[in-house]
Amino acid sequence: MLTLPAPARRPAPPTAAAPRTAPALLAAVLFVLYTAYALREHARFRTTGYDLGIFGQAVRAYAEGRAPASEIRTATAPPGFTGDAFPLLGDHFHPVLAVLAPLYRLAPHVETLLVAQAGLVSLSVYVIARTAQRHLPEQRFAPTAVGAAAGLCWGVQQLVGFDFHEVAFAVPLLALACRAHLDGRPRAAAWWAAALLLVKEDLGATAFVCGLLLVHRNRHDPRNRRAGLALCAFAAAGSALVVCAVLPALAPDGRYGYLDQAASPYGVLDGWPGKSETLLVLLAATGGLVLRSPLALLLLPTLVWRFTSSNPAYWGPGLHYSAVLAPIAFAALIDALRRGARLPLAVPLAVALVMLPAQPLSDLARPGFWQQDPREAAARAALRLVPDGAPVAASNGLVPHLTDRTRPYLVADGVLERRPELEWIVADRTDPFPWGAVDAVVRRAEELGWRRVREESGIIVLTRAPASP
């Protein structure tokens, strides 16, 4: 059960038995693993337009001094949308992506986003390991054990294993906010939590709960209590402004498009096998001790919106939706242990290792992961035919490789009619998204006189421009 916070006390400094280099070394090793996996997965054409391609176009726009917009996202735009690119700040509120613009200018490739995501997640591991080092100084291997368990947990691996997402910024911000809270630095915790509102609109609720925790912990200290009150006010007002005014104002149809996925009887009552699995994995990751810390309250906003949504993709432990839970859960574990809860540190690490064979990073040990198959070679050859700057429609698994140098759209129903300027189509007949669209678009293009210039391993290239030599 949840317990009330103990009075703040000054943490003991790191001891010689827990060298300061351990968290940095662990984070560096995990950064290499995350980066190697993400880049190889991209090279295997396992990343997608939804979402890496969309975010790649957003960061490219920021780097070029434009508002973030995506041609790929127009495939699922509201009815009646006729623009060339979808305004992404009318979809989700993530201005934090502008931070990546300088990096993209230095290395204008979509892979830059994958490396940046690996760095952000590794930073969170470093923060969690340093938190364990600071608050569990009597346990020599606490930084390594807790940090490794956090870095290998399912939520983090699912984020690294599927494209790029803006929530990668929330992972270190939450780790820093939780550490500042445990350190007894309420103003620092408030600043880190307030930054969550720049990551995604749903994280304002998490920031608000963080403010409540700060108010409660500092209820006898008016000066520090003000930091919590200010955070509560900022999170509530900021979230309301973004959801009710900013997003509708920037959306093409004048409304926040995800309200229809909000709480509903269907979302509340259905899907409990998947929801239960998410809760069980969350509890297992910390040996159940996540419930022994008030920090567990920070999990509730994310779990509530996911479990009450009518979208089944939010319910289970897969995809990237659990990434924001990881730093909170492991900070709560550290808090519970420093309060006297008993649990061998080998337990959360063992849970992470037991789950590892079913997680993305396990692919690094498979020889086939590093071998180029015929489909990969065919896709590379097909993409080389598309000239720089050309308007092109490509399949979901191919389009991220074109965002850096072309004007790419997604192969989807009606794309030829909506985009008469298209000159190239690169389609993968085995790509299931959007359902049935590839064959329909190819047939329609050939009816309109497009020429088939290449087909191999299910990858087909058509053009209505003069064929390349």
Side-chain angles (χ1 to χ4, degrees):
M1 61 184 293
L2 294 176
T3 57
L4 293 177
R9 65 176 187 270
R10 186 177 181 179
T15 64
R20 293 176 180 269
T21 55
L25 181 60
L26 174 64
V29 170
L30 288 171
F31 172 73
V32 172
L33 294 178
Y34 297 152
T35 302
Y37 178 87
L39 293 181
R40 178 58 190 146
E41 192 75 346
H42 179 65
R44 298 172 67 218
F45 295 90
R46 301 306 174 98
T47 55
T48 60
Y50 279 68
D51 293 300
L52 179 59
I54 291 173
F55 284 117
Q57 291 183 320
V59 175
R60 179 181 176 181
Y62 276 125
E64 295 174 353
R66 298 182 286 110
S70 171
E71 290 85 357
I72 297 170
R73 179 64 174 79
T74 60
T76 52
F81 177 78
T82 58
D84 291 332
F86 190 94
L88 291 176
L89 288 179
D91 185 38
H92 287 300
F93 190 72
H94 41 49
V96 72
L97 293 177
V99 172
L100 298 179
L103 293 177
Y104 190 88
R105 287 186 67 88
L106 292 174
H109 305 288
V110 75
E111 290 88 343
T112 299
L113 278 67
L114 299 175
V115 176
Q117 178 168 263
L120 290 166
V121 175
S122 300
L123 174 59
S124 75
V125 173
Y126 172 79
V127 173
I128 291 296
R130 288 285 287 128
T131 305
Q133 188 178 56
R134 184 173 181 83
H135 291 277
L136 305 173
E138 70 283 357
Q139 301 196 46
R140 179 179 180 182
F141 297 107
T144 303
V146 177
L152 295 175
C153 77
W154 96 103
V156 165
Q157 290 208 50
Q158 290 297 318
L159 172 63
V160 173
F162 181 67
D163 287 17
F164 171 91
H165 298 274
E166 72 272 76
V167 296
F169 285 93
V171 179
L173 287 175
L174 285 165
L176 289 163
C178 288
R179 177 180 176 178
H181 180 76
L182 296 181
D183 288 352
R185 296 181 289 119
R187 282 175 289 181
W191 279 111
W192 290 123
L196 292 171
L197 273 73
L198 301 176
V199 178
K200 199 176 179 185
E201 63 275 5
D202 60 79
L203 288 168
T206 303
F208 181 83
V209 173
C210 184
L212 293 179
L213 290 175
L214 293 174
V215 170
H216 182 78
R217 178 169 181 171
N218 298 281
R219 58 193 180 279
H220 301 306
D221 183 349
R223 182 166 177 262
N224 285 327
R225 187 174 67 240
R226 285 195 293 270
L229 291 171
L231 177 59
C232 287
F234 175 76
S239 297
L241 179 65
V242 167
V243 173
C244 299
V246 176
L247 285 166
L250 298 176
D253 58 352
R255 60 186 295 270
Y256 178 46
Y258 295 91
L259 286 178
D260 57 353
Q261 297 181 8
S264 69
Y266 174 82
V268 173
L269 299 176
D270 208 349
W272 275 104
K275 296 172 184 177
S276 299
E277 186 179 358
T278 299
L279 293 174
L280 288 174
V281 172
L282 178 61
L283 290 172
T286 60
L289 291 190
V290 64
L291 298 180
R292 297 286 298 275
S293 167
L295 288 176
L297 293 171
L298 293 174
L299 302 170
L300 292 180
T302 296
L303 292 175
V304 167
W305 77 254
R306 287 176 58 185
F307 288 177
T308 59
S309 171
S310 59
N311 186 347
Y314 299 151
W315 301 340
L319 301 178
H320 60 286
Y321 300 109
S322 295
V324 298
L325 304 178
I328 300 171
F330 285 94
L333 169 64
I334 295 167
D335 188 29
L337 291 173
R338 74 170 187 161
R339 292 169 182 274
R342 296 184 179 277
L343 180 77
L345 288 177
V347 171
L349 181 56
V351 171
L353 293 176
V354 167
M355 295 180 63
L356 184 59
Q359 298 301 319
L361 290 185
S362 64
D363 287 346
L364 292 170
R366 289 194 304 104
F369 182 74
W370 301 98
Q371 296 171 357
Q372 178 174 278
D373 59 22
R375 174 183 173 275
E376 182 181 335
R380 292 190 189 286
L383 294 175
R384 283 196 294 267
L385 297 175
V386 181
D388 293 351
V392 53
S395 296
N396 194 37
L398 301 175
V399 73
H401 296 260
L402 293 165
T403 59
D404 301 325
R405 62 181 186 88
T406 68
R407 290 171 51 202
Y409 296 87
L410 188 70
V411 168
D413 291 338
V415 68
L416 295 175
E417 289 71 26
R418 294 193 309 271
R419 303 296 163 198
E421 72 274 18
L422 287 175
E423 297 175 358
W424 293 82
I425 295 173
V426 186
D428 181 357
R429 292 186 182 274
T430 66
D431 198 320
F433 179 81
W435 305 109
V438 171
D439 287 337
V441 170
V442 169
R443 285 195 302 270
R444 179 59 178 158
E446 292 185 325
E447 290 172 0
L448 295 174
W450 287 59
R451 294 192 304 275
R452 186 178 303 198
V453 296
R454 181 182 176 88
E455 183 171 10
E456 182 181 353
S457 299
I459 311 292
I460 182 170
V461 181
L462 300 99
T463 182
R464 60 178 174 188
S468 301

